[in-house]
Amino acid sequence: MSDVGKTLKGVRKRRGLSQRELADASGVSLSTIRKLEQGDRGSARMETLRMLAGALHVTTMRLVDDQTAEGPTVGTEERWEAVRHALERPAAPSELDDEPPTVAGVKQALDGITPLFAKDQFEELSKVLPALLRDADALGPEGRAVRVRLLQLCGWLMTQTRQFTSAEVALQRALDDAADRLEGAATVNTLCWLSLRQGELDKALDLAVKWADDTEPRVSRATPAELSTWGWMLLRVSAAAVRNSQPGQASDALRMARGAAIMLGREYAPENDFLRTFGPTTVRLKTAENASVTDQPDVVLRLAERVPTFALKPTSNNRNRHLLDVADAHVKTGDYSSAFRKLTAIQASSPQWLPNQSYARTIMGRIVEGRRTLTDDMRQMAADIHLEL
């Protein structure tokens, strides 16, 4: 029996529940519970563990058996090798070109490629980032600000493509160089997301709570940048808490984030930073995400009807993540055609983003299980996102 199976069995017995009673209370199939407790399955999806933890009244992390996060998709490590090398082993001055880079030149180059991040143009970024990272490292102390911004974006990109070690290196370098708490919080925002993707819920929650406390502004004189920063930390608290089966803390943090968004009154991006865009629409998207995590597909679909299509660009990370929640809600209500249409829409706008999403593979897997036959388009989608049929 695996450690997760032993823990599950022990907690279930202490709660006085049979396997059948736990299955009925959690919504997890009896066969899954039996396989886990018998050691036939060494691990389970975080969603399954959350459902079991909720029924047993423990945190999700109480059941986690050192779950290994899903790694990068096939071909990713080879494509990003040069970027990882530049992040993890910055070039020594003797290795650089004779013509030194300038702060203005590196900033101009970074501004020029920032739209590639926003539009999920991963292939192009893998080619231009190694040289830009080397130039940014060569700037020395006077290039701190532009280097921090580049490292923040690279940390987000490495997290997006599930290259978690390199992501942590980039983000820690950015945090070490942060000039103030707002700049630091912009990095911590992605660090929290990195921990969530790795299934390290306690770590994400502790980090988000600390920085939410540290960045809480005086409401009477808070600037938009301060409200945006604090709001995002609260959203990270809520995301970690809801996944860790702590609904009260998740609800409280989401309520405070909604208050910050109301004070802003609009979607606000500090210094046009798409990663830090925050406002009423962002909070609504994250409210739907929490509803998806807690298995409330009807709430997800109802909230989706109230998300203005013009508020966020179709290729923005938040909106695409929301559309995955909508697709998942359709699957859970048995509307497989609508779910597949959502996946198709995401693929059309962000074809390089979708294959990196394990969530998309889970949704597509449920579509496959729920339908008697698959269309050619469905088979192609499964191949595109690396789902084995």
Side-chain angles (χ1 to χ4, degrees):
M1 185 189 302
S2 67
D3 287 346
V4 68
K6 291 177 183 178
T7 302
L8 175 62
K9 185 175 182 178
V11 175
R12 176 180 61 76
K13 285 188 171 182
R14 284 194 291 275
R15 293 290 185 265
L17 297 174
S18 67
Q19 290 180 334
R20 169 64 69 184
E21 287 170 333
L22 177 57
D24 292 341
S26 66
V28 176
S29 70
L30 178 60
S31 64
T32 295
I33 292 171
R34 284 175 175 167
K35 287 177 181 178
L36 284 169
E37 292 195 359
Q38 292 169 2
D40 294 336
R41 286 181 56 175
S43 62
R45 292 199 310 267
M46 193 61 68
E47 177 186 357
T48 300
L49 295 175
R50 187 202 61 75
M51 294 168 69
L52 290 168
L56 293 168
H57 304 292
V58 296
T59 65
T60 305
M61 293 307 292
R62 177 72 176 84
L63 301 180
V64 170
D65 174 31
D66 191 24
Q67 297 287 307
T68 301
E70 182 177 333
T73 56
V74 176
T76 296
E77 292 184 322
E78 293 80 3
R79 177 182 303 156
W80 295 96
E81 181 178 3
V83 176
R84 291 198 309 275
H85 188 279
L87 283 170
E88 297 172 14
R89 294 182 290 277
S94 59
E95 300 175 40
L96 299 172
D97 296 334
D98 293 336
E99 190 70 26
T102 65
V103 173
V106 174
K107 183 180 184 305
Q108 185 177 21
L110 178 57
D111 290 343
I113 69 166
T114 295
L116 297 179
F117 288 95
K119 294 179 180 179
D120 307 317
Q121 299 295 309
F122 297 161
E123 183 71 31
E124 294 84 345
L125 286 167
S126 69
K127 297 173 182 176
V128 301
L129 282 175
L132 188 57
L133 282 163
R134 288 194 294 271
D135 285 349
D137 284 329
L139 293 176
E142 63 274 17
R144 184 207 59 78
V146 67
R147 186 166 51 250
V148 165
R149 177 63 186 141
L150 177 58
L151 289 169
Q152 288 172 341
L153 287 165
C154 287
W156 171 84
L157 183 60
M158 293 291 103
T159 303
Q160 194 69 268
T161 54
R162 297 184 173 275
Q163 300 177 89
F164 298 133
T165 299
S166 295
E168 188 162 4
V169 168
L171 294 170
Q172 192 57 59
R173 288 182 60 194
L175 187 59
D176 290 344
D177 249 358
D180 54 45
R181 64 192 179 99
L182 294 187
E183 191 173 65
T187 302
V188 170
N189 185 17
T190 305
L191 274 169
C192 289
W193 178 48
L194 170 61
S195 294
L196 288 174
R197 274 212 152 180
Q198 293 176 297
E200 298 176 339
L201 304 183
D202 285 339
K203 180 179 178 180
L205 184 57
D206 290 345
L207 189 61
V209 167
K210 176 185 181 300
W211 279 80
D213 289 343
D214 288 349
T215 58
E216 182 175 2
R218 280 192 178 182
V219 174
S220 60
R221 60 186 188 187
T223 66
E226 288 173 333
L227 288 171
S228 171
T229 298
W230 182 50
W232 259 115
M233 288 297 99
L234 292 168
L235 290 179
R236 295 305 189 196
V237 171
S238 183
V242 75
R243 287 165 172 79
N244 206 27
S245 301
Q246 296 173 256
Q249 188 171 11
S251 179
D252 289 345
L254 193 59
R255 175 179 50 78
M256 289 189 288
R258 188 175 296 113
I262 290 172
M263 283 185 278
L264 273 171
R266 60 187 174 88
E267 292 296 301
Y268 172 76
E271 299 179 355
N272 295 315
D273 183 348
F274 76 97
L275 291 182
R276 297 162 67 189
T277 300
F278 177 82
T281 299
T282 297
V283 172
R284 190 167 293 153
L285 298 182
K286 294 304 180 183
T287 302
E289 183 176 315
N290 281 12
S292 179
V293 170
T294 53
D295 200 24
Q296 301 179 77
D298 54 330
V299 175
V300 174
L301 295 175
R302 187 169 65 249
L303 288 168
E305 293 176 353
R306 297 164 52 197
V307 174
T309 57
F310 58 84
L312 293 174
K313 295 180 180 178
T315 53
S316 70
N317 181 46
N318 275 343
R319 184 159 183 81
N320 279 338
R321 175 58 172 76
H322 171 67
L323 291 178
L324 285 179
D325 286 331
V326 175
D328 182 61
H330 282 308
V331 163
K332 289 176 178 176
T333 57
D335 189 352
Y336 301 114
S337 295
S338 293
F340 185 69
R341 283 197 295 272
K342 289 297 179 185
L343 290 180
T344 302
I346 299 171
Q347 187 180 45
S349 64
S350 297
Q352 296 183 51
W353 180 84
L354 192 62
N356 292 282
Q357 310 308 311
S358 62
Y359 192 11
R361 285 186 283 279
T362 297
I363 294 168
M364 191 65 211
R366 289 172 176 166
I367 293 173
V368 171
E369 292 173 3
R371 287 180 59 96
R372 288 186 178 182
T373 60
L374 299 180
T375 66
D376 289 342
D377 287 345
M378 289 177 177
R379 292 182 184 279
Q380 185 60 54
M381 173 71 77
D384 291 344
I385 65 174
H386 308 289
L387 174 69
E388 294 185 7
L389 294 178

